[in-house]
Amino acid sequence: MTRQIFVLNGPNLNLLGQREPGIYGALSLASIETACRALGEELGFQIDFRQSNHEGVLVDWIHEANEKAAGVAINPGAYGHTSIALHDAIRAIAVPVVELHLSNIHAREAFRHKSMIAPVVKGVICGLGQDSYLLALRALKTLTE
Ligand code: CA2
């Protein structure tokens, strides 16, 4: 059975590969999407990969995931550090959510050490670049079985 998985990306992640390769790697978001689709196929997932710079759009997509998807992998970008709205949205849905970050947020500025959504997700993966996305999908495989 093929399950749909939402892979959601927050603000500024559309800029990946263009700047700050030392922190985020040289890959573009499009190439990460391609890798997610390839692994998704292997795992029996149909990947719905999206990015928005707008907090409310991410909230709407989390609600939509509860209707249409078996699980969510989310890189909330900087909203992960600030957004009570994302916390509440994730808390309100029944499907499993995995938080991920490309960089190791704990090895960076103090303001990145706190995640507002960490208490309401199944697990958090960070610091592994593109592999953070792929490991989140592998975790969702187990979580949705
Ligand atoms: O490490 C991650 O994946 C982050 O979620 C990325 C966010 C950052 O605010 C989080 O603390 C950690 C920022 C994404 C911005 O990406 C850029 C890419 C290229 C140039 C500038 C920003």
Side-chain angles (χ1 to χ4, degrees), residues 60-116:
D60 287 342
W61 287 346
I62 291 165
H63 296 170
E64 186 184 340
N66 201 38
E67 305 302 318
K68 298 185 182 163
V72 178
I74 183 167
N75 182 347
Y79 289 145
H81 310 304
T82 62
S83 177
I84 297 169
L86 287 186
H87 172 110
D88 288 345
I90 292 168
R91 193 189 191 127
I93 68 170
V95 297
V97 178
V98 175
E99 175 184 358
L100 72 99
H101 298 274
L102 290 156
S103 62
N104 179 354
I105 55 175
H106 303 289
R108 301 184 62 195
E109 304 95 321
F111 62 81
R112 294 185 204 275
H113 297 177
K114 172 87 183 166
S115 165
M116 296 296 286

Side-chain angles (χ1 to χ4, degrees), residues 36-57:
C36 286
R37 284 190 193 289
L39 178 62
E41 207 161 300
E42 211 178 284
L43 298 176
F45 289 157
Q46 198 241 310
I47 302 295
D48 193 330
F49 195 97
R50 306 179 184 187
Q51 187 275 330
S52 177
N53 293 324
H54 304 278
E55 188 176 13
V57 172

Side-chain angles (χ1 to χ4, degrees), residues 3 5 26-27 36 40 61 64 84 92-93 118 121 132 142:
R3 295 184 176 88
I5 297 292
L27 293 176
C36 286
W61 287 346
E64 186 184 340
I84 297 169
I93 68 170
V121 298
S132 293
T142 310

